[in-house]
C-alpha cells in the first residue's frame, strides 16, 4: 500500500473540481479536442479515488441541453448513485448561460425580453437540479453579459436587468424554501469584449443594491482578477472583510493573457502563497471555511493520466503552501518584523468622531520626521517569505 504523505488530499480539506475542469477535453479556439469526453459518473468515481471532496457542475455538464424530463431523471439518478458510491458531494452548482447561440448577446442582460425570460427559466430549472444534488452555493458567472460595441445597450439598462434577474431568482429560492446562497463571479473580458461587473469589487457594490443582499456573495477567481492586472489577494481580502466570500475559484494565470485556468500554483507562486495564507488565516484573522474549488484544467498536451496528475497537483500545492504559510507565521524572525505593524490606534478612531477624540488626535506628540526616516524591514520580511516558500527555513 502506498504511504500517504501529509500533503495528499482528504475530504476534510474540502477540495472540489467542476465537471467542466477535469472533464475538459482540451478544445481551444484554434484546435479540436485532444482527449475523449469523460462520463460524469466516471469523473466522480475518480475524484473520490484521488481524495477530492466535492464535484461542481453546470446544468449542461450533466444533462445535455434539450433532454426530455425522463432522460434528465435517468441521468440525475445515475449521477446520484455515483456520488453515493464514491462519497463525493456536490457543494456548488451553476447554469450554463453562455454556450447556446441564444445567449450570444447575453442572458440576463440581453436586449431581448424573450432571451432574458429563457435565461431566468433555465436558471430556475438548474437551481432545482443543484438543490436535488445537495448544493448549498449557486454560482453566477455572466460570461456573455457584456458587449463588443457598447452602442448596442446602455450599461445602466444592462445592470438593471441583471439586478432584476438576481432579485427574482433570490425570490424563487426563498419561495421554494431552499437552503442556498448565491455567489457572483466577475471577469473583465472573454468571451465578450468587455463583461459587465468586471471585478470582485464591482460585484461587491452591486450586491449591496440587491433586494436580498444577505443571501448573495462573491466567487472570485484567481485568473479573472489577474487578467485585469489586479491583486487577487486584495480582492479576496475585501470580500472576506465584509463576510461575502461564499466560494472561490482557484487556478493559475499570468497577467495580460487570455483566461488560462492553469493548475493552481503553477504561476505566480508568491501570490498563491499569500492567498493560501489569507484563506487559512495563519497570519491572523478568520479562516475561510468554504469549499476550495479548482476552476482549472490540464494542459492541452495531456492525456487522461495527465489530467489526474493535474488534479493531484492543484490539491498538493494548496496543502504545501498551507504548511509553508504556517511555518512562516510561526517564525520568530517574521513575528519580530510584524509585531510593530498592527498596534491599536493611539486615539480610538474606530469608536467614531467626537470633539474630544478630535482634540485628542490634535494633542498627540508625533515625530513625523522620525517616522518618515524609519526603515520597516519589509525587504527582510519578503526574503524570509521567499526562503520559507523554497524550503530553506522551518
Ligand atoms: C467557465 C468560466 C469559469 C466559471 C464557470 C462557471 S464556467 O469555465 O471560465 O470561470 O467559473 O460558470
Ligand atoms: Mn471560474
Ligand atoms: Mn477562468
Amino acid at each position: 500500500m502506498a504511504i500517504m504523505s501529509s500533503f495528499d488530499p482528504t475530504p476534510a480539506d474540502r477540495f472540489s473540481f467542476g465537471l467542466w475542469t477535469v472533464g475538459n477535453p482540451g478544445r481551444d479556439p484554434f484546435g479540436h479536442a485532444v482527449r475523449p469526453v469523460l462520463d460524469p459518473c466516471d469523473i466522480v468515481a475518480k475524484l473520490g479515488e484521488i481524495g477530492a471532496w466535492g464535484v461542481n457542475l453546470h446544468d449542461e455538464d450533466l444533462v445535455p441541453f434539450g433532454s426530455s424530463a425522463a432522460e434528465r431523471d435517468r441521468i440525475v439518478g445515475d449521477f446520484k448513485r455515483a456520488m453515493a458510491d464514491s462519497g463525493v458531494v456536490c457543494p456548488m452548482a451553476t447554469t450554463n448561460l453562455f454556450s447556446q447561440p441564444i445567449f450570444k448577446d447575453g442572458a440576463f442582460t440581453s436586449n431581448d425580453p424573450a432571451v432574458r425570460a429563457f435565461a431566468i427559466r433555465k436558471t430556475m430549472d438548474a437551481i432545482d437540479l443543484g438543490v436535488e444534488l445537495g448544493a448549498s452555493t449557486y454560482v453566477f458567472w455572466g460570461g456573455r453579459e457584456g458587449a463588443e460595441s457598447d452602442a448596442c445597450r446602455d450599461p445602466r439598462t444592462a445592470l438593471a436587468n441583471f439586478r432584476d434577474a438576481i432579485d427574482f431568482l433570490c425570490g424563487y429560492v426563498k419561495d421554494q424554501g431552499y437552503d442556498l446562497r448565491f455567489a457572483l463571479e466577475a471577469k473583465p473580458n472573454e468571451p465578450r469584449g468587455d463583461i459587465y461587473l468586471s471585478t470582485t469589487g464591482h460585484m461587491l457594490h452591486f450586491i449591496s443594491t440587491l433586494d436580498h443582499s444577505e443571501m448573495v456573495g462573491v466567487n472570485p477567481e484567481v485568473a479573472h482578477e489577474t487578467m485585469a492586472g489586479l491583486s487577487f489577494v486584495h480582492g479576496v481580502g475585501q470580500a472576506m472583510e465584509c463576510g461575502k466570500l461564499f466560494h472561490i475559484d482557484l487556478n493559475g494565470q499570468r497577467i495580460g493573457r487570455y483566461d488560462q485556468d492553469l493548475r493552481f500554483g503553477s504561476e505566480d507562486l508568491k501570490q498563491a502563497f499569500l492567498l493560501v495564507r489569507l484563506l487559512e488565516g495563519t497570519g491572523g484573522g478568520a479562516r475561510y471555511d468554504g469549499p476550495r474549488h479548482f476552476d482549472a484544467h490540464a494542459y492541452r498536451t495531456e492525456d487522461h493520466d495527465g489530467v489526474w496528475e493535474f488534479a493531484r497537483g492543484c490539491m498538493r500545492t494548496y496543502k504545501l503552501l498551507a504548511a509553508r504559510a504556517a511555518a512562516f507565521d510561526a517564525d520568530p524572525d517574521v513575528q519580530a518584523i510584524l509585531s510593530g505593524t498592527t498596534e491599536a490606534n493611539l486615539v480610538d478612531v474606530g469608536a467614531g468622531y467626537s470633539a474630544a477624540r478630535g482634540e485628542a488626535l490634535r494633542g498627540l506628540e508625533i515625530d513625523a520626521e522620525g517616522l518618515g526616516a524609519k526603515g520597516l524591514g519589509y525587504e527582510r520580511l519578503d526574503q524570509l517569505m521567499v526562503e520559507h516558500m523554497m524550503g530553506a527555513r522551518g
Side-chain angles (χ1 to χ4, degrees):
M1 205 186 111
I3 299 173
M4 283 269 294
S5 115
S6 58
F7 302 115
D8 285 337
T10 73
D13 296 315
R14 291 163 74 84
F15 291 133
S16 60
F17 289 85
L19 282 181
W20 71 93
T21 63
V22 282
N24 183 299
R27 208 174 284 116
D28 75 13
F30 304 96
H32 303 300
V34 294
R35 299 182 279 266
V37 172
L38 291 170
D39 183 286
C41 295
D42 295 340
I43 292 180
V44 164
K46 190 72 189 179
L47 285 176
E49 223 178 282
I50 65 171
W53 161 74
V55 64
N56 304 319
L57 46 87
H58 300 86
D59 48 355
E60 290 180 44
D61 297 340
L62 183 61
V63 183
F65 186 74
S67 296
S68 69
E71 279 165 347
R72 177 220 184 262
D73 291 348
R74 183 191 53 76
I75 293 169
V76 174
D78 289 349
F79 192 69
K80 280 169 143 176
R81 264 188 299 282
M83 284 172 58
D85 289 348
S86 61
V88 171
V89 299
C90 175
M92 176 272 258
T94 182
T95 329
N96 183 324
L97 295 174
F98 43 89
S99 294
Q100 299 300 326
I102 184 175
F103 300 128
K104 63 189 174 204
D105 191 28
F108 300 148
T109 64
S110 166
N111 286 348
D112 191 324
V115 175
R116 299 199 298 273
F118 187 83
I120 292 174
R121 185 170 86 183
K122 189 175 196 283
T123 304
M124 289 163 69
D125 291 346
I127 286 175
D128 293 346
L129 171 65
V131 170
E132 183 176 346
L133 295 172
S136 55
T137 305
Y138 202 84
V139 162
F140 291 82
W141 173 65
R144 297 279 176 201
E145 314 288 11
E148 288 73 39
S149 170
D150 276 313
C152 74
R153 183 183 308 109
D154 184 327
R156 292 169 293 189
T157 309
L159 292 177
N161 280 327
F162 196 77
R163 179 182 301 108
D164 287 348
I166 299 292
D167 283 343
F168 189 91
L169 290 163
C170 283
Y172 177 67
V173 166
K174 282 176 154 322
D175 188 49
Q176 297 299 114
Y178 292 156
D179 184 13
L180 192 69
R181 300 195 301 180
F182 290 177
L184 309 185
E185 177 176 349
K187 187 174 181 182
N189 58 276
E190 193 197 343
R192 299 311 299 267
D194 288 288
I195 297 177
Y196 302 120
L197 300 166
S198 49
T199 71
T200 296
H202 289 76
M203 284 298 183
L204 286 170
H205 172 263
F206 175 76
I207 289 167
S208 74
T209 71
L210 296 173
D211 280 351
H212 301 289
S213 58
E214 74 289 347
M215 64 182 277
V216 186
V218 290
N219 177 41
E221 174 174 314
V222 174
H224 299 177
E225 311 288 311
T226 308
M227 283 168 76
L230 301 175
S231 162
F232 188 64
V233 167
H234 289 193
V236 170
Q238 187 181 354
M240 288 175 89
E241 206 262 340
C242 61
K244 288 295 186 190
L245 187 67
F246 286 8
H247 200 265
I248 192 160
D249 278 3
L250 302 168
N251 55 21
Q253 175 74 29
R254 287 171 68 180
I255 291 178
R257 309 280 166 120
Y258 63 95
D259 186 24
Q260 293 177 298
D261 293 337
L262 297 167
R263 192 179 74 258
F264 179 62
S266 63
E267 298 289 344
D268 201 344
L269 203 51
K270 188 163 136 183
Q271 275 293 308
F273 171 90
L274 288 164
L275 173 64
V276 171
R277 178 177 183 245
L278 180 68
L279 295 175
E280 294 300 313
T282 61
R287 182 172 183 266
Y288 164 73
D289 64 1
R292 274 91 174 136
H293 172 233
F294 299 104
D295 186 9
H297 44 76
Y299 301 139
R300 197 163 174 269
T301 50
E302 302 309 292
D303 60 10
H304 283 140
D305 287 344
V307 169
W308 301 116
E309 241 352 274
F310 144 87
R312 280 193 203 91
C314 286
M315 298 187 283
R316 281 182 59 83
T317 298
Y318 187 99
K319 292 191 78 164
L320 283 157
L321 288 172
R324 297 283 85 212
F328 173 75
D329 284 309
D331 185 331
D333 290 348
V334 170
Q335 288 172 357
I337 298 169
L338 290 180
S339 65
T341 59
T342 50
E343 288 170 24
N345 281 325
L346 299 174
V347 169
D348 192 0
V349 174
Y353 175 80
S354 70
R357 287 188 203 105
E359 278 313 301
L361 271 174
R362 286 205 166 99
L364 290 172
E365 294 257 353
I366 297 176
D367 175 11
E369 212 173 309
L371 287 173
K374 188 175 141 200
L376 298 180
Y378 294 169
E379 280 290 355
R380 170 126 176 93
L381 180 67
D382 199 80
Q383 181 64 20
L384 284 168
M385 181 170 73
V386 168
E387 296 201 5
H388 273 284
M389 285 169 58
M390 294 174 83
R393 290 176 76 97

